[in-house]
Amino acid sequence: MKDTLNVRALNRATLARQLLLAREPIPVTEAVGRLFGMQAQEPKPPFLGLWTRLEGFQASDLKAALHDRSVVRATMMRATLHLTTGADYTAFRTAMQPMLDGALRVLGDRAEGMDLQRVVPAARALLGQEPRTFNEVRALLQEQFPDVNDRALGYAVRLCVPLVMVPTQDRWGFSRTSRFAPADDWLGTGPADGPALDELMLRYLAAYGPASAADAQTWSGLSTTAEALDRLRPGLRVFGDDRGKELFDLPDAPRPGEDVQAPARFLPEFDSLVLAHADRRRVIADTHRPLLTTKNLRVRAVFLWDGFAHGIWETEYKRKVATLRLRPFGPLPQAALDELTREGESLLRFMEPDAKETVVTVADD
């Protein structure tokens, strides 16, 4: 008979792996490896995500890792931009290709006339000459393939050519129109030949487990997670959840007790923690989950209290005053407000070091 893990037990286990029970005094590259990627649709959120997880984190720490190429920003899980270590990108980019190939289907009729056997080598050649923006890549490819939709050409290159974004000295590490370089040029080696799917699942469990096959599929976008976890079953712990779902985990992974205290934390927009499971009750209640995403598919920033998402937050900076507004999902006890205020003021000082005043407030609506 399988042991059952309730939602609170899953919460504490996942927070422990996501460096959210205590700030860790570890280097940036090690943290990104332990988190097994940080969603980075925009450049700023990973800086905030690392601040909330690491002791003494400075923005310059991540910028240094990006420039020394130990951390890269590239298309990975769910065909979205992520920060990963350079080593993880090399090891697991090939495992993502079936999912990336499938994502091409969204092009529909716009892909008419496109021959990937010709487009991919042409794009590799152009980007091998020098890093380029995608506006440049699309324009140059359009010259070679004038009868193919330019947006379809660009999208195909993003998915089928292993590329990394070239960092700059901008505040959050990247310019608005980033340049891309071939991964093998940037890292000195190309993606591994084999897909390494089983190792991918072990790393996922280390960062997000205990988790179901559906959770792993939601995180990765891959349809073969159940097969991989079944192959790995003899070496894994298998639990059940309160709905009868089978959960897999590494035997020696941390699973702290439900009574372990979880400090107030602010997660940035697009944080991988709120996207890494099909069943997200370990982080956010089902009733609140619709509030997490905007109509244009932005994933809102949430704050955690007692380990769970209790609302969203936003900031404003005007006339040297940095303001953080809490928008709770429901009434919060004074102890929560006090803890969130202290943590929020620290976050504002990190985000706006030139501010003369920091204010944490609860929105009226």
Side-chain angles (χ1 to χ4, degrees):
M1 184 176 178
K2 301 183 184 76
D3 291 337
T4 298
L5 298 175
N6 63 26
V7 169
R8 192 172 180 85
L10 290 172
N11 172 268
R12 292 311 195 252
T14 309
L15 294 183
R17 299 165 207 210
Q18 284 288 299
L19 314 181
L20 289 167
L21 288 181
R23 284 188 167 90
E24 298 279 352
I26 59 176
V28 161
T29 301
E30 181 181 344
V32 174
R34 283 177 58 177
L35 297 170
F36 203 31
M38 303 181 72
Q39 182 142 336
Q41 285 299 96
E42 297 177 358
K44 180 179 175 180
F47 285 84
L48 307 187
L50 288 170
W51 175 86
T52 209
R53 289 170 165 96
L54 298 184
E55 184 179 303
F57 173 75
Q58 301 292 324
S60 58
D61 299 336
L62 177 52
K63 291 172 76 171
L66 288 163
H67 283 275
D68 70 23
R69 309 186 187 196
S70 59
V71 171
V72 297
R73 184 179 176 206
T75 298
M76 283 287 281
M77 287 70 77
R78 304 182 302 282
T80 55
L81 288 168
H82 278 70
L83 288 190
T84 71
T85 67
D88 282 345
Y89 181 84
T90 299
F92 299 112
R93 171 59 175 74
T94 301
M96 296 295 155
Q97 195 58 54
M99 172 269 299
L100 298 173
D101 290 341
L104 286 170
R105 289 193 294 268
V106 304
L107 291 174
D109 293 342
R110 289 178 296 167
E112 184 177 351
M114 182 163 58
D115 181 356
L116 290 177
Q117 298 302 314
R118 297 176 59 209
V119 170
V120 168
R124 284 181 181 274
L126 290 171
L127 289 155
Q129 293 169 0
E130 61 178 326
R132 300 181 189 271
T133 68
F134 259 84
N135 285 338
E136 294 169 339
V137 171
R138 284 195 299 267
L140 290 167
L141 286 176
Q142 187 85 84
E143 293 177 5
Q144 298 184 47
F145 306 98
D147 297 328
V148 182
N149 180 284
D150 67 323
R151 293 286 170 177
L153 287 168
Y155 190 64
V157 172
R158 285 181 184 272
L159 298 183
C160 298
V161 182
L163 300 173
V164 300
M165 298 181 76
V166 177
T168 65
Q169 293 302 327
D170 288 78
R171 183 182 181 192
W172 302 114
F174 295 90
S175 66
R176 288 182 178 273
T177 54
S178 293
R179 296 183 179 276
F180 289 75
D184 52 355
D185 291 350
W186 189 255
L187 294 171
T189 184
D193 292 334
L197 182 58
D198 289 5
E199 179 61 25
L200 181 79
M201 289 296 96
L202 294 174
R203 291 289 303 281
Y204 168 70
L205 293 177
Y208 296 101
S212 68
D215 291 329
Q217 180 171 343
T218 295
W219 168 80
S220 65
L222 295 166
S223 62
T224 51
T225 56
E227 300 166 22
L229 288 170
D230 206 44
R231 285 194 299 272
L232 293 165
R233 181 186 296 271
L236 299 176
R237 286 286 306 273
V238 182
F239 299 93
D241 71 4
D242 61 353
R243 292 176 174 173
K245 283 274 190 179
E246 195 171 54
L247 304 174
F248 299 89
D249 204 8
L250 305 181
D252 299 324
R255 289 180 291 274
E258 300 172 33
D259 58 345
V260 169
Q261 290 194 341
R265 289 290 185 259
F266 288 88
L267 300 182
E269 292 178 303
F270 305 105
D271 195 275
S272 295
L273 176 60
V274 299
L275 300 170
H277 303 89
D279 182 350
R280 300 178 192 174
R281 292 177 301 142
R282 71 181 69 198
V283 180
I284 185 167
D286 286 341
T287 54
H288 299 145
R289 184 168 165 176
L291 304 174
L292 189 62
T293 307
T294 67
K295 291 181 180 179
N296 60 352
L297 301 183
R298 293 187 65 83
V299 179
R300 291 186 169 105
V302 301
F303 61 84
L304 307 181
W305 183 71
D306 189 31
F308 293 90
H310 279 269
I312 60 177
W313 62 276
E314 59 198 23
T315 60
E316 182 180 62
Y317 187 52
K318 287 184 178 179
R319 294 185 285 276
K320 295 290 184 177
V321 177
T323 302
L324 186 153
R325 292 187 182 85
L326 303 173
R327 298 187 181 277
F329 297 142
L332 292 171
Q334 189 60 48
L337 292 172
D338 291 344
E339 191 177 354
L340 287 162
T341 297
R342 290 192 295 271
E343 182 75 0
E345 288 174 344
S346 295
L347 174 58
L348 288 172
R349 287 193 290 271
F350 171 76
M351 293 177 66
E352 306 295 349
D354 296 330
K356 293 183 178 179
E357 184 181 359
T358 58
V359 178
V360 177
T361 184
V362 179
D364 294 333
D365 54 18

